[in-house]
């Protein structure tokens, strides 16, 4: 055990980063390499959302309740959240290329096992395994792209990586719904097989002679157990809090206490252990610290919008899951078009300006959503989602460049794993917060609106008389009136939550300007410390 006093001070000079072990890949190999890595990233991120729309079908086929079926989602997220921050240690121990390829192959195998499951316990177990082995895939895909692209084109590499991370969750529900409707649910897992085999074969063929150095460090058992308990409890709390009424449930309260104690112990242990399993000293680098905060909070707000919009469309506006997915999908159009342009010109503008522009657009579109009402058409919903695609490009690419600037090559995998861990965790937090707020605000407004209706009131009597003239009388009329109250309450709550998201984006601009140029090339030695 060493002490925290032995750690370098924030502004202490760092040794020069060693030169990369290998030159960039030849230009003619970059396209096939990029496709393979991008597909593996797309496949892993897709699996975080593709099963969501299939849960009712899976639950029915396996003869369990829909609530039990949600463990298909929770088990995957729980396992992935635990392993992602371990990416740096695993890559140092076994090599980045070998870790990435084995992770892709095991993910492909676990996907096939999920499709073959014949009971819920089997499926949940295989999904947990799938989440465990998927942990290093996304962080190492980012690291390998940056290491094997020439420095002048690393902005483009970051753009390509960002596109896959953003587009996959958007198309996951669409693809999952289509497969469930037109085939059988196991195919949402079987489709990973050709993608995974192609990605693993291509990556190993191109990179097997470009393996990174390995170091046989002792396993930090105490840190690993603390991470498992702390992160596992936190993820379970976020996944089930809204269903169990949060801290009114002894289960959620217990998970919260365990998460706080476990994570506090984990942080203290990792900062004082001689061979930590997670390199928390990365937060001593100014750009990584504030860049990761901006990334986590920005992604939390963006993901909250992505969750709230289809929730409102399906429960209030009467959209089917497929049409709700279609309404939210336009964000990917400009993201695909603008991201390469941002990546190509990333060295020509202040990255803080680009990130600030993203937050302004996100905030403006969140306010735009807050102006919608029950008569809003799908065409009007398309427009702000379309505009958000521009913000997506200016958010992910500059922020990732900022937080990785100054990170030494040998710490890239650890930095990518840690930043992706906070991004993934913030997505879970955004989902938990937005669904809880929306439910509670809807209930509050429902009570307030109902207080204004009385049996002999002019407004309610007039409305019920109109319904009766149309053939809807008695209990049916009262039920329809209650439905109108609920829809209006949910609409007001939706507007309020979008307002709150807009304010959060405005506040986030300040975090970006706490970083310091030069930002240089991601993975280079320059950057604010």
């Amino acid at each position: 055990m060493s002490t925290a006093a032995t750690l370098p001070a924030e502004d202490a000079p760092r040794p020069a980063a060693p030169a990369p072990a290998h030159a960039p890949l030849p230009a003619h190999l970059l396209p096939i390499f990029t496709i393979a890595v991008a597909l593996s990233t797309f496949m892993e991120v897709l699996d975080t959302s593709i099963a969501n729309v299939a849960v009712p079908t899976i639950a029915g086929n396996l003869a369990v309740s829909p609530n039990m079926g949600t463990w298909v989602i929770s088990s995957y997220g729980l396992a992935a959240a635990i392993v992602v921050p371990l990416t740096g240690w695993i890559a140092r121990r076994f090599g980045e290329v070998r870790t990435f390829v084995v992770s892709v192959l095991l993910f492909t195998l676990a996907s096939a096992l999920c499709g073959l499951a014949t009971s819920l316990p089997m499926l949940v177990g295989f999904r947990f395994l799938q989440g465990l082995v998927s942990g290093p895939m996304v962080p190492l895909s980012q690291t390998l792209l940056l290491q094997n692209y020439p420095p002048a084109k690393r902005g483009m590499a970051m753009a390509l990586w960002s596109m896959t991370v953003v587009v996959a969750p958007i198309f996951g529900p669409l693809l999952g719904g289509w497969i469930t409707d037109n085939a059988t649910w196991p195919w949402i897992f079987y489709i990973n097989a050709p993608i995974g085999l192609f990605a693993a074969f291509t990556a190993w063929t191109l990179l097997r002679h470009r393996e990174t150095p390995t170091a046989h460090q002792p396993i930090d058992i105490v840190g690993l157990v603390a991470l498992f308990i702390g992160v596992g409890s936190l993820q379970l709390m976020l996944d089930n809090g809204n269903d169990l009424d949060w801290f009114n449930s002894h289960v959620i309260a217990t998970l919260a206490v365990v998460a706080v104690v476990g994570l506090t112990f984990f942080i203290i242990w990792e900062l004082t252990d001689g061979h930590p399993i997670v390199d928390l000293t990365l937060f001593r680098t100014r750009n990584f610290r504030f860049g990761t905060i901006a990334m986590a909070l920005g992604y939390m707000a963006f993901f909250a919008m992505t969750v709230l919009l289809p929730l409102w469309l399906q429960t209030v506006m009467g959209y089917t899951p497929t049409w709700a997915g279609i309404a939210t999908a336009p964000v990917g159009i400009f993201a695909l078009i603008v991201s390469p342009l941002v990546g190509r010109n990333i060295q020509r503008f202040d990255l803080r300006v680009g990130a600030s522009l993203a937050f302004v657009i996100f905030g403006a579109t969140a306010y735009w959503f807050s102006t919608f009402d029950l008569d809003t058409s799908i065409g009007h919903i398309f427009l702000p989602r379309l505009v958000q695609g521009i913000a997506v490009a200016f958010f992910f690419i500059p922020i990732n460049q900022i937080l990785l600037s100054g990170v030494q090559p040998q710490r890239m995998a650890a930095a990518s794993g840690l930043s992706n861990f906070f991004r993934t965790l913030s997505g879970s937090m955004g989902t938990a917060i937005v669904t809880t707020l929306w439910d509670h605000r809807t209930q509050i407004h429902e009570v307030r609106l109902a207080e204004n209706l009385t049996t002999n009131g002019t407004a309610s009597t007039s409305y019920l008389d109109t319904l009766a003239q149309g053939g809807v009388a008695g209990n049916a009329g009262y039920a329809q009136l209650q439905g109108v109250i609920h829809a209006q309450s949910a609409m007001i709550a939706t507007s309020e939550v979008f307002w709150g998201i807009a304010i959060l984006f405005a506040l986030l601009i300040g975090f970006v300007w706490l970083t310091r140029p030069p930002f240089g090339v991601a993975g280079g030695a320059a950057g604010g410390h």
Side-chain angles (χ1 to χ4, degrees):
M1 294 274 290
S2 62
T3 64
T6 62
L7 299 173
E10 179 180 12
D11 296 313
R14 291 180 178 272
H22 301 283
L25 274 174
H28 69 281
L29 295 179
L30 283 177
I32 187 67
F33 166 67
T34 303
I35 291 172
V37 173
L39 282 176
S40 66
T41 305
F42 186 86
M43 175 178 66
E44 194 279 335
V45 179
L46 187 74
D47 265 47
T48 63
S49 61
I50 193 172
N52 294 18
V53 295
V55 164
T57 302
I58 294 173
N61 287 351
L62 298 180
V64 297
S65 67
N67 286 339
M68 291 294 293
T70 57
W71 279 100
V72 175
I73 302 169
S74 299
S75 57
Y76 181 91
L78 171 64
I82 294 170
V83 178
V84 169
L86 301 178
T87 299
W89 184 89
I90 297 171
R92 286 195 306 272
R93 185 73 182 259
F94 302 104
E96 292 174 7
V97 176
R98 189 176 296 107
T99 300
F100 176 77
V101 172
V102 171
S103 179
V104 172
L105 289 174
L106 290 177
F107 182 86
T108 305
L109 175 61
S111 298
L113 292 174
C114 288
L116 294 171
T118 56
S119 67
L120 183 65
M122 285 180 64
L123 180 56
V124 169
F126 290 142
R127 279 286 280 177
F128 187 83
L129 174 63
Q130 191 185 29
L132 280 180
V133 300
S134 75
M137 286 172 60
V138 172
L140 287 182
S141 66
Q142 184 182 32
T143 302
L144 293 174
L145 278 174
L146 290 173
Q147 289 181 349
N148 289 282
Y149 262 73
K153 294 184 178 181
R154 285 179 186 169
M156 180 61 70
M158 191 73 73
L160 295 169
W161 180 85
S162 298
M163 282 192 296
T164 58
V165 171
V166 172
V167 171
I170 296 168
F171 287 102
L174 278 174
L175 186 58
W178 186 88
I179 291 173
T180 304
D181 291 340
N182 295 277
T184 55
W185 66 261
W187 281 99
I188 66 177
F189 301 111
Y190 291 152
I191 60 171
N192 289 337
I195 298 173
L197 293 175
F198 167 77
F201 174 79
T202 304
W204 182 250
T205 301
L206 296 178
L207 303 180
R208 68 181 185 275
H209 299 304
R210 307 169 71 86
E211 184 60 274
T212 56
T214 58
H216 292 283
Q217 297 177 335
I219 300 176
D220 177 16
I221 298 293
V222 175
L224 183 61
V225 172
L227 177 69
F228 184 90
I229 294 174
V231 174
S233 298
L234 179 60
Q235 188 69 34
L236 285 173
M237 183 189 77
L238 293 173
D239 285 345
N240 298 281
N242 197 44
D243 292 334
L244 299 178
D245 197 19
W246 289 102
F247 296 106
N248 291 321
S249 164
H250 294 301
V251 173
I252 296 300
T254 301
L255 287 172
V257 172
V258 173
V260 170
V261 173
L263 290 175
T264 301
F265 178 82
F266 170 75
I267 292 170
I268 295 172
W269 180 271
E270 293 302 285
L271 289 175
T272 57
D273 188 66
H275 300 282
I277 202 163
V278 178
D279 186 6
L280 296 180
T281 61
L282 284 161
F283 285 104
R284 292 180 178 273
T285 303
R286 184 185 186 92
N287 286 350
F288 183 83
R289 179 168 67 250
F290 290 116
T292 299
I293 292 173
M295 168 63 76
L297 294 179
Y299 187 78
M300 181 178 71
F302 168 71
F303 202 77
M305 284 195 292
T306 303
V307 169
L308 179 59
L309 185 59
L311 185 64
W312 166 64
L313 290 175
Q314 292 179 67
T315 59
V316 180
M317 301 293 282
Y319 281 51
T320 64
T322 300
W323 277 104
I326 292 172
T328 58
V331 70
I333 297 174
F334 275 145
L336 290 173
I337 295 172
V338 178
S339 290
L341 299 177
V342 175
R344 189 177 297 119
N345 297 283
I346 199 167
Q347 303 297 332
R348 299 182 182 180
F349 62 89
D350 190 325
L351 299 183
R352 296 171 298 180
V353 173
S356 298
L357 174 63
F359 289 142
V360 168
I361 296 175
F362 275 140
T365 52
Y367 170 75
W368 195 346
F369 282 127
S370 75
T371 65
F372 287 172
D373 56 37
L374 296 176
D375 296 320
T376 300
S377 67
I378 191 171
H380 286 91
I381 296 169
F382 277 155
L383 291 176
R385 285 296 283 180
L386 192 66
V387 174
Q388 277 185 353
I390 301 173
V392 165
F394 278 98
F395 169 59
F396 278 91
I397 302 169
I399 292 290
N400 270 295
Q401 180 86 359
I402 287 172
L403 68 87
L404 291 177
S405 63
V407 175
Q408 299 166 324
Q410 69 270 24
R411 304 177 83 193
M412 274 290 292
S416 182
L418 203 51
S419 63
N420 275 283
F421 164 72
F422 280 99
R423 178 184 59 80
T424 304
L425 188 63
S426 68
S428 297
M429 294 181 67
T431 301
I433 292 171
V434 77
T435 52
T436 301
L437 274 177
W438 190 69
D439 283 344
H440 286 185
R441 296 305 298 173
T442 297
Q443 292 169 13
I444 289 172
H445 289 297
E446 200 160 1
V447 170
R448 289 176 178 173
L449 290 178
E451 287 174 350
N452 296 319
L453 295 176
T454 60
T455 306
N456 299 318
T458 303
S460 54
T461 301
S462 175
Y463 185 79
L464 289 171
D465 288 343
T466 302
L467 291 178
Q469 293 172 10
V472 182
N475 291 334
Y478 283 108
Q480 183 159 329
L481 178 59
Q482 184 61 41
V484 171
I485 294 173
H486 176 75
Q488 292 290 350
S489 302
M491 188 68 255
I492 297 171
T494 303
S495 297
E496 289 178 342
V497 175
F498 275 122
W499 247 107
I501 293 172
I503 293 171
L504 176 58
F505 276 122
L507 296 175
L508 285 178
I509 295 174
F511 280 105
V512 176
W513 290 91
L514 292 174
T515 60
R516 293 176 181 171
F519 301 114
V521 176
H529 294 284

